[in-house]
Amino acid sequence: MGLMMEQLSASKSFGGFHKRFRHNSQSLDCEMIFAIYLPPQAEKTGAKLPVLYWLSGLTCTDENFMQKAAALRVAAELGLIIVAPDTSPRGDKVPDDENGAWDFGKGAGFYLNASEQPWAQHYRMYDYVTKELPALIEANFPVSDKRGISGHSMGGHGALICALKNPGRYQSLSAFAPIANPSNCPWGEKAFSKYLGSNRETWRQWDACELLKTAKERLPILVDQGAADSFLAEQLKPEALKAAAEAAGLPLNLRLQEGYDHSYYFIASFIEDHLRHHAAVLSQ
């Protein structure tokens, strides 16, 4: 069950293939689309390649990273499979923000498991990203048991919490401009209060700065943040992440990149560093 997929497209790129698939998600109770890049090494008989899961940010789908990040050439060189899920459940039966807000509801799943109505039935992106989707990938594609996770903005938050909550599941971790302390910023407070309820104690398990306090694993974390990012001070809080990592004695390489904003121009500028950061661990 859950292994049936419909291929929507296949495009050759740098000797490999970018493909999109649709499937019925049990954890989200709706149809979902994901993208996968299979580098040329995936064609070799018996090949088992490491896989990097990329979590995108607010308003994005599976398409943004694959089209804009300029990641596929380097992934082809490194023999790295990349999987990009959507950012929230989709479809007519899935509830959305009643005012059509871009920072909540569809396109803004925040990679958590909602507990409040009407969100709890469908908004379970954490289960989807950490359990259901990897099981689907591992049953259908030539991936090894070496997994990395990365993401941007809301997806950077997702990558951090998925790795911190699952010691041993991911061998490598990075993020671009993550929402590092969602319990203490407008985007996170809005999403958490609706998805999780008003009790801030329950928010702690979905906040990277809180999770770092009790982290059981010492994964080296690479984080790039644009210094000219308009969301830097109010929403992203990289200084809180740095302080939490230092207090816990955990290895965080936080790089502030002068002049860069929050866009995919920024991501494309540093994605090669991140892919090599992951491959150095995952290819061992």
Side-chain angles (χ1 to χ4, degrees):
M1 282 177 60
L3 298 182
M4 294 292 290
M5 302 185 304
E6 175 191 0
Q7 182 170 305
L8 302 177
S9 67
S11 302
K12 193 165 187 177
S13 184
F14 295 102
F17 277 91
H18 170 270
K19 297 183 178 183
R20 299 181 77 220
F21 291 89
R22 178 164 48 216
H23 73 108
N24 283 308
S25 167
Q26 295 183 338
S27 51
L28 302 177
D29 191 22
C30 66
E31 282 193 336
M32 290 294 284
I33 292 173
F34 69 88
I36 185 168
Y37 178 67
L38 298 162
Q41 296 89 333
E43 305 256 327
K44 294 177 182 175
T45 304
K48 291 280 189 179
L49 302 179
V51 57
L52 176 64
Y53 290 89
W54 172 270
L55 307 184
S56 290
L58 291 163
T59 74
C60 291
T61 68
D62 67 284
E63 294 184 283
N64 299 72
F65 176 82
M66 293 298 197
Q67 293 179 5
K68 295 181 177 181
L72 304 190
R73 176 187 60 81
V74 180
E77 176 198 329
L78 297 172
L80 192 60
I81 290 174
I82 302 178
V83 174
D86 203 343
T87 53
S88 78
R90 302 284 180 175
D92 293 340
K93 67 179 181 179
V94 174
D96 198 4
D97 184 83
E98 59 187 12
N99 299 313
W102 61 270
D103 58 356
F104 183 78
K106 292 179 186 177
F110 268 84
Y111 303 103
L112 48 71
N113 288 340
S115 57
E116 302 302 297
Q117 297 303 331
W119 318 105
Q121 180 180 350
H122 298 286
Y123 284 80
R124 306 188 64 80
M125 285 298 294
Y126 173 76
D127 279 356
Y128 179 71
V129 165
T130 61
K131 297 173 185 174
E132 184 178 14
L133 184 60
L136 189 70
I137 297 300
E138 288 161 18
N140 289 278
F141 299 100
V143 298
S144 71
D145 60 358
K146 297 293 182 73
R147 307 179 195 93
I149 192 163
S150 186
H152 171 230
S153 196
M154 177 184 73
H157 143 77
L160 291 169
I161 65 165
C162 287
L164 290 167
K165 289 166 75 69
N166 292 279
R169 170 160 278 274
Y170 305 97
Q171 285 72 54
S172 60
L173 171 61
S174 77
F176 287 83
I179 303 174
N181 192 195
S183 298
N184 293 301
C185 76
W187 282 340
E189 289 175 312
K190 177 179 181 177
F192 282 12
S193 63
K194 294 189 177 193
Y195 290 138
L196 302 171
S198 58
N199 182 359
R200 285 177 170 261
E201 276 299 304
T202 65
W203 298 8
R204 295 162 68 96
Q205 63 182 301
W206 305 104
D207 187 313
C209 289
E210 295 294 331
L211 293 170
L212 278 168
K213 294 177 181 178
T214 56
K216 301 283 195 297
E217 198 172 36
R218 300 186 62 81
L219 282 185
I221 307 170
L222 173 61
V223 174
D224 273 314
Q225 171 65 59
D229 190 323
S230 60
F231 302 116
L232 176 59
E234 186 180 27
Q235 302 283 10
L236 304 177
K237 313 280 187 181
E239 70 286 348
L241 188 71
K242 182 178 181 181
E246 287 178 350
L250 295 173
L252 169 66
N253 181 11
L254 174 60
R255 309 191 306 188
L256 198 62
Q257 304 290 2
E258 287 300 324
Y260 286 91
D261 60 16
H262 199 68
S263 72
Y264 267 87
Y265 297 109
F266 160 58
I267 295 171
S269 300
F270 299 101
I271 191 65
E272 181 168 351
D273 287 357
H274 285 246
L275 295 179
R276 294 191 185 281
H277 164 82
H278 288 277
V281 178
L282 300 177
S283 60
Q284 292 177 5

